[in-house]
Amino acid sequence: MTTSQPPYSDPSRIVEALRTDGYVLLRPQDVASLAGCSLDDLQALAPSWDRLELDNYLKDGGRYRRRRHACFVDDGAALVQSPHRAHWQPVEYNALHGGMHRLFVPIEAATIEQPAWKRLLRSLSAVCTAVKGPQPWYVEAHQFRIDTADGIGRPTPEGAHRDGVDFVAVILIGREGIKGGETRVFEADGPKGQRFTMLEPWTMLLLDDAAVIHESTPIQPLAEHGHRDTLVLTWRAGAFQGDEAEPAGA
């Protein structure tokens, strides 16, 4: 079902909606309230998206994606950044780029050191815990810029997918000079789905990765420097993806 107005969730029902619907969509002010900070505090993170580095791993040969990456562990008492590591997914979840150890440029320390960064991640860890119980969460953070310098930009070149984690947050940081970029969320094992376009910076889609599949449609330019910026965060219990299959010390 396509909606002209995004199907925003009641912020008081976040945990219930994740359990029953598999996703929640929050307005920017509700994201700020959840994080315990102001929208201005969150927006102070946005300039760092102008300093992302080219993603050289795209198998479709495109040069439309820039990104940075960082990993953390939230044990319920503190959020601790992990040593920088490659991002890895199995082919079962990412048929295009699965099975590759992709080492991206780290997220800038100045970004991670801002109070809004930690507050946002910790508040979402608390939501994950409320849904699935207390445990260490292995968190990956991806800053993305999809641009239209060469024409079409593809936010999800792998198509509709799951990520192989427990929870995924897709947060719109901004969009400029583009059309497209519709978000689509569908039941993993059923017919129901939603289609909508996130337009306001700091709108957030939070997903139960086992319950739904998701994708974003390609973007096309309306101006010379069109782009779409997002922050994608994932939470996984047990370990970072790939660690279970690697020998000790690898």
Side-chain angles (χ1 to χ4, degrees), residues 99-215:
M100 302 170 61
H101 284 86
R102 293 178 286 165
L103 186 63
F104 299 111
V105 177
I107 294 176
E108 293 174 335
T111 301
I112 293 168
E113 289 165 2
Q114 292 197 50
W117 179 270
K118 181 177 181 179
R119 289 178 180 175
L120 177 64
L121 269 62
R122 295 227 64 207
S123 68
L124 292 171
S125 293
V127 173
C128 298
T129 294
V131 176
K132 293 201 172 180
Q135 57 201 294
W137 291 109
Y138 293 79
V139 185
E140 294 196 51
H142 307 261
Q143 292 178 294
F144 288 105
R145 169 166 288 180
I146 308 299
D147 69 42
T148 58
D150 293 330
I152 291 176
R154 296 176 174 85
T156 52
E158 65 272 34
H161 65 283
R162 291 165 54 205
D163 286 315
V165 297
D166 287 275
F167 298 97
V168 180
V170 181
I171 303 172
L172 180 70
I173 304 302
R175 45 185 291 149
E176 180 179 331
I178 62 167
K179 62 180 178 179
E182 179 183 73
T183 298
R184 299 177 177 180
V185 183
F186 304 101
E187 288 180 326
D189 299 308
K192 292 197 294 186
Q194 291 277 6
R195 300 165 56 178
F196 53 88
T197 302
M198 295 192 289
L199 298 173
E200 293 184 81
W202 297 99
T203 300
M204 180 180 73
L205 175 66
L206 180 60
L207 308 164
D208 179 335
D209 190 54
V212 296
I213 58 176
H214 64 281
E215 67 176 334

